[in-house]
Amino acid sequence: MVQKYYESDADPRTLEDKTVAVIGYGSQGRGQALNLRDSGCRVVIGLRPGGSWQKASEDGFEVYSVAEAVKRADVIQILLPDENQGAIYRAEISPNIRENACLMFSHGFNIHYGQIVPPPTVDVVMVAPKGPGHMVRRTYEEGKGVPALIAVHQDATGGAHAIALAYARGIGATRAVVLETTFAEETETDLFGEQAVLCGGVTSLIKAGFETLVDAGYAPEMAYLEVLHEMKLIVDLIYEGGFTQMRDSISNTAQYGDLTRGPRVIGPETYMAMQEILEEIQNGKFAKEWMLENMVNRPVFNALTRAGEEHLIEQVGAEIRGFMPQFRK
Ligand code: NDP
Ligand code: MG
Ligand code: MG
């Protein structure tokens, strides 16, 4: 079984005399930095001039250039976009990092795929909350926490694991649970999850259902409500009580259709595609493709994003949500 840690396993004194530099102040940067500060840690922020800099200053943080923040820090949590981390590391972090500092990540991508190769004199760890930054912040404010993964890639000081655990406690994760993993396992499962199931899988499933109904002559509004709007209601039931509780809540007719037709929708072809997708993650093909895509200013990313935004389901959805008070901003 995987090793689990709770509040009493982490020693907050580990960070007592240390300065944490949070590099980046987006989704994760803001949530983690605010929680750490409220837990009594000394936090500075590293950024370039711009919107995030403004926001971090307004939140009362000392903000420095990335290089300056790194010079001041014992723990450096890199919360920049994954695709930019390698270049920023080489230009601003690597020349300024102290011996025996702790380099930290919330996703293993750059270490696992060799985009960042730290010197042997520093600790390299991961503390990866399993939720978006605003949830990391909100649950902390409610006295709870978002679960997190920790991993040690390199232990130069002998204290890498204790720092990761103390940091996880500082952001509130030990109030939920902290699981021990490796950079390889976190990176590969995270990429597979978002590609095959959570983001890629779900949107493609909804799109296929929507197009099938609309092509057969049903009203797009009906199709939208049936395959997209209701998705959340079903997922909430699965989230709260697994497949069994969801099946207890739906009609017997729905349950029979689910059990007998579901495996026809996700059949052998899908299992084979998932296997291929996983192999491309494991052998670095996906990582290489995404790095090269960024080097040529993302033509595929931009074209596919635009096509997605222009799909009929998005037009219909915007219109329908406009009538529903819960979606009015
Ligand atoms: P965001 O895109 O939300 O934020 C990125 C931050 O980096 C912004 O503050 C941005 O500032 C700053 N930045 C970008 N380029 C530079 C630069 N050249 N120099 C200095 N600062 C720069 O990132 P996320 O919080 O989503 O992701 C951060 C890490 O957390 C990633 O490793 C990701 O995989 C991981 N993660 C993210 C999760 C999520 O839910 N979002 C969940 C778990 C892990 P500016 O305003 O100037 O652009
Ligand atoms: Mg991810
Ligand atoms: Mg129905």
Side-chain angles (χ1 to χ4, degrees):
M1 283 301 266
V2 60
Q3 180 74 44
K4 301 185 188 73
Y5 304 97
Y6 301 94
E7 198 82 349
S8 61
D9 297 318
D11 185 353
R13 282 171 306 181
T14 311
L15 292 180
E16 223 161 48
D17 53 351
K18 295 197 181 341
T19 297
V20 178
V22 171
I23 310 299
Y25 200 73
S27 174
Q28 286 298 326
R30 181 165 192 271
Q32 293 187 26
L34 289 172
N35 291 4
L36 283 175
R37 186 172 67 184
D38 289 350
S39 295
C41 300
R42 183 176 149 65
V43 182
V44 300
I45 310 296
L47 279 168
R48 60 182 171 188
S52 294
W53 185 302
Q54 176 83 17
K55 184 111 186 131
S57 306
E58 282 167 15
D59 287 341
F61 283 107
E62 289 172 35
V63 190
Y64 300 99
S65 68
V66 174
E68 279 303 317
V70 169
K71 281 182 196 164
R72 287 173 162 73
D74 306 290
V75 177
I76 300 144
Q77 169 64 306
I78 303 184
L79 296 174
L80 302 161
D82 295 305
E83 65 277 15
N84 300 348
Q85 287 183 10
I88 299 170
Y89 176 83
R90 282 185 289 281
E92 297 183 69
I93 298 176
S94 164
N96 296 301
I97 193 165
R98 292 184 191 167
E99 214 166 280
N100 292 332
C102 179
L103 202 55
M104 194 180 283
F105 297 85
S106 279
H107 181 36
F109 191 99
N110 281 277
I111 291 290
H112 184 55
Y113 293 116
Q115 300 301 297
I116 292 179
V117 183
T121 48
V122 303
D123 292 339
V124 181
V125 306
M126 169 164 44
V127 179
K130 288 283 99 180
H134 71 273
M135 288 285 289
V136 171
R137 182 56 183 161
R138 196 167 73 210
T139 51
Y140 182 90
E141 287 179 309
E142 292 166 357
K144 296 179 265 179
V146 164
L149 308 177
I150 61 168
V152 175
H153 173 70
Q154 191 168 292
D155 187 6
T157 65
H161 194 267
I163 292 176
L165 255 184
Y167 186 99
R169 180 180 167 125
I171 62 169
T174 47
R175 295 171 181 178
V177 61
V178 171
L179 306 181
E180 181 92 36
T181 184
T182 62
F183 274 65
E185 183 179 60
E186 185 276 339
T187 305
E188 292 172 5
T189 55
D190 185 80
L191 292 175
F192 179 79
E194 66 201 19
Q195 292 176 21
V197 182
L198 305 174
C199 309
V202 165
T203 53
S204 292
L205 182 68
I206 293 174
K207 183 162 160 277
F210 178 84
E211 288 174 357
T212 301
L213 286 174
V214 172
D215 288 350
Y218 297 98
E221 292 85 350
M222 287 287 297
Y224 175 87
L225 287 174
E226 199 54 55
V227 305
L228 191 150
H229 180 75
E230 284 198 51
M231 176 67 85
K232 171 167 165 47
L233 314 178
I234 294 296
V235 168
D236 281 349
L237 290 170
I238 296 173
Y239 179 72
E240 284 160 21
F243 290 165
T244 302
Q245 182 174 309
M246 183 276 284
R247 285 173 177 150
D248 284 346
S249 305
I250 61 180
S251 69
N252 294 335
T253 312
Q255 187 173 345
Y256 182 72
D258 156 4
L259 295 168
T260 59
R261 268 52 180 179
R264 283 168 58 187
V265 174
I266 305 291
E269 201 188 319
T270 300
Y271 278 80
M272 264 161 54
M274 285 191 175
Q275 186 63 49
E276 273 171 29
I277 288 166
L278 183 59
E279 277 162 21
E280 289 170 12
I281 292 167
Q282 291 168 333
N283 65 23
K285 186 166 183 283
F286 172 79
K288 179 179 167 195
E289 184 183 318
W290 175 225
M291 289 296 120
L292 292 176
E293 170 75 3
N294 278 289
M295 278 179 196
V296 290
N297 295 321
R298 304 187 178 182
V300 175
F301 181 93
N302 291 333
L304 294 177
T305 299
R306 197 179 332 109
E309 287 166 0
E310 286 168 359
H311 193 279
L312 178 61
I313 198 168
E314 291 295 273
Q315 326 298 321
V316 174
E319 193 192 336
I320 292 186
R321 288 192 298 272
F323 294 119
M324 293 194 244
Q326 68 265 43
F327 299 119
R328 279 196 202 120
K329 296 214 171 86

